[in-house]
Amino acid sequence: MTTATTSLDSTRTGFRAAVRRRGRRDLLKHLVLGVFVLLMLYPLIWMIVSSLKPDHLILTETGLIPSEVTFDNFVKGWNALNRPFTVFILNSLLVTVGSIIGNLFSCALTAFALARLEFRMRKVYLAITLVSVMLPLHVLVIPQYIFFSQLDLVNTYYPLLIPKFLATDAFFIYLMVQFIRTIPRDLDRAAWIDGSGPFRTFWYVILPLMRPALVTTTIFTFIWTWNDFFVPLIYLTSPKMFTVPVALNSMVSSESQTGVGMLFAMSLVSLLPVLIFFAVAQKHLIRGIATTGLK
């Protein structure tokens, strides 16, 4: 009896020691992760603090505790460029929503054709689509600009939206092709036996099952289009047409520090739609990536 009690006590002591060691390891892991989180968030925190400083203190006072706090940067930035910042937010929303609709429609149709329909050189077209992912954007900008300039579409939103309706984002095509391949072909055959054509099969059978891939496409398109600076800078010349990134660039004087505070303040305002959208769609994004196999 005494031996059994001693063995039980030693087992309990060993278990408690193991729990303590595991607790110390977990505490150390959380401390290390906390340090990395602070390092990752430091630029954002510094931008938030700098948006509350006068321009002359932003680059001379680098600490996170400002000696002088002002909200003038938000007031001035909101009415900069002789128009309220709401105009640029609405412009970005117009381009972003149009890009989302274009990508969802055109990329889904293209992916269905490449994944389900049988036609000559189908694999070649799919290979060309994948190769186009590797092309840098800057290689395509000059011929596209010449093309839209000859159509007199510069300083309009058409150059930003038309390519989205022509399935030019090969990444999303490949993502949807991979997802469609996981859908049983028996569903297609059943629809064809009932008399459905290719488009009707796509619209009523395949498209409703593509929700995870469509949600992933929507999220990535929103974030990439909202933050896009290069393409709108090339095509949009009128300030009233500017999207948010182009408007932010126009607030800063290249010869002085004037406008840096407004830039930081309006950058925070421009981040709000992305943060809200990402917070709402985070679960769908993770589920869509896991479902489509992008691990």
Side-chain angles (χ1 to χ4, degrees), residues 98-114:
S99 299
I100 291 174
I101 296 173
N103 272 343
L104 290 179
F105 182 74
S106 62
C107 293
L109 276 174
T110 305
F112 173 74
L114 294 175

Side-chain angles (χ1 to χ4, degrees), residues 81 92 95-96 137-138 141 160 164 221-237 241-252 263 267:
L81 303 180
S92 288
V95 175
T96 302
L137 174 64
H138 308 80
V141 164
L160 308 180
K164 304 299 181 182
T221 303
F222 180 91
I223 296 175
W224 292 349
T225 306
W226 183 271
N227 294 325
D228 186 19
F229 169 72
F230 183 66
V231 177
L233 178 66
I234 292 175
Y235 289 107
L236 303 179
T237 58
M241 303 287 292
F242 284 173
T243 58
V244 168
V246 181
L248 291 175
N249 179 70
S250 301
M251 291 182 181
V252 183
L263 173 65
S267 295

Side-chain angles (χ1 to χ4, degrees), residues 3-19 21:
T3 304
T5 303
T6 304
S7 177
L8 181 61
D9 291 340
S10 62
T11 302
R12 290 176 177 174
T13 302
F15 178 74
R16 291 171 183 170
V19 170
R21 286 195 299 271

Side-chain angles (χ1 to χ4, degrees), residues 77-99:
W78 191 264
N79 296 294
L81 303 180
N82 299 321
R83 50 186 49 84
F85 201 75
T86 313
V87 173
F88 310 122
I89 294 178
L90 293 177
N91 292 343
S92 288
L93 284 176
L94 175 63
V95 175
T96 302
V97 173
S99 299

Side-chain angles (χ1 to χ4, degrees), residues 36-55:
F36 277 104
V37 169
L38 289 177
L39 291 176
M40 294 290 291
L41 291 179
Y42 178 80
L44 179 61
I45 297 173
W46 187 83
M47 185 176 70
I48 295 173
V49 174
S50 299
S51 67
L52 299 174
K53 295 179 183 179
D55 282 339

Side-chain angles (χ1 to χ4, degrees), residues 68-79:
E68 183 179 349
V69 177
T70 178
F71 291 94
D72 289 343
N73 292 327
F74 290 91
V75 177
K76 295 178 181 178
W78 191 264
N79 296 294

Side-chain angles (χ1 to χ4, degrees), residues 53-221:
K53 295 179 183 179
D55 282 339
H56 66 278
L57 293 179
I58 292 177
L59 300 180
T60 58
E61 184 181 277
T62 58
L64 294 180
I65 301 178
S67 59
E68 183 179 349
V69 177
T70 178
F71 291 94
D72 289 343
N73 292 327
F74 290 91
V75 177
K76 295 178 181 178
W78 191 264
N79 296 294
L81 303 180
N82 299 321
R83 50 186 49 84
F85 201 75
T86 313
V87 173
F88 310 122
I89 294 178
L90 293 177
N91 292 343
S92 288
L93 284 176
L94 175 63
V95 175
T96 302
V97 173
S99 299
I100 291 174
I101 296 173
N103 272 343
L104 290 179
F105 182 74
S106 62
C107 293
L109 276 174
T110 305
F112 173 74
L114 294 175
R116 281 294 199 260
L117 301 184
E118 297 293 339
F119 54 91
R120 294 181 60 185
M121 301 181 63
R122 178 171 63 92
K123 293 183 179 180
V124 175
Y125 290 136
L126 179 59
I128 294 174
T129 302
L130 297 180
V131 170
S132 67
V133 178
M134 307 176 191
L135 289 176
L137 174 64
H138 308 80
V139 175
L140 304 175
V141 164
I142 295 177
Q144 285 182 352
Y145 183 85
I146 294 175
F147 174 75
F148 286 116
S149 177
Q150 291 177 347
L151 295 178
D152 197 22
L153 295 178
V154 176
N155 198 33
T156 68
Y157 295 131
Y158 291 110
L160 308 180
L161 296 177
I162 290 177
K164 304 299 181 182
F165 285 87
L166 298 178
T168 57
D169 286 332
F171 170 77
F172 299 123
I173 297 175
Y174 177 71
L175 183 146
M176 294 182 185
V177 166
Q178 293 298 101
F179 185 85
I180 293 174
R181 285 175 175 174
T182 64
I183 300 175
R185 285 184 174 269
D186 293 340
L187 299 176
D188 301 34
R189 297 188 184 100
W192 294 340
I193 291 173
D194 290 338
S196 296
F199 184 79
R200 190 177 181 87
T201 302
F202 163 77
W203 189 259
Y204 290 101
V205 178
I206 302 299
L207 190 62
L209 298 176
M210 291 177 57
R211 181 177 178 183
L214 296 177
V215 171
T216 303
T217 301
T218 300
I219 295 171
F220 277 116
T221 303

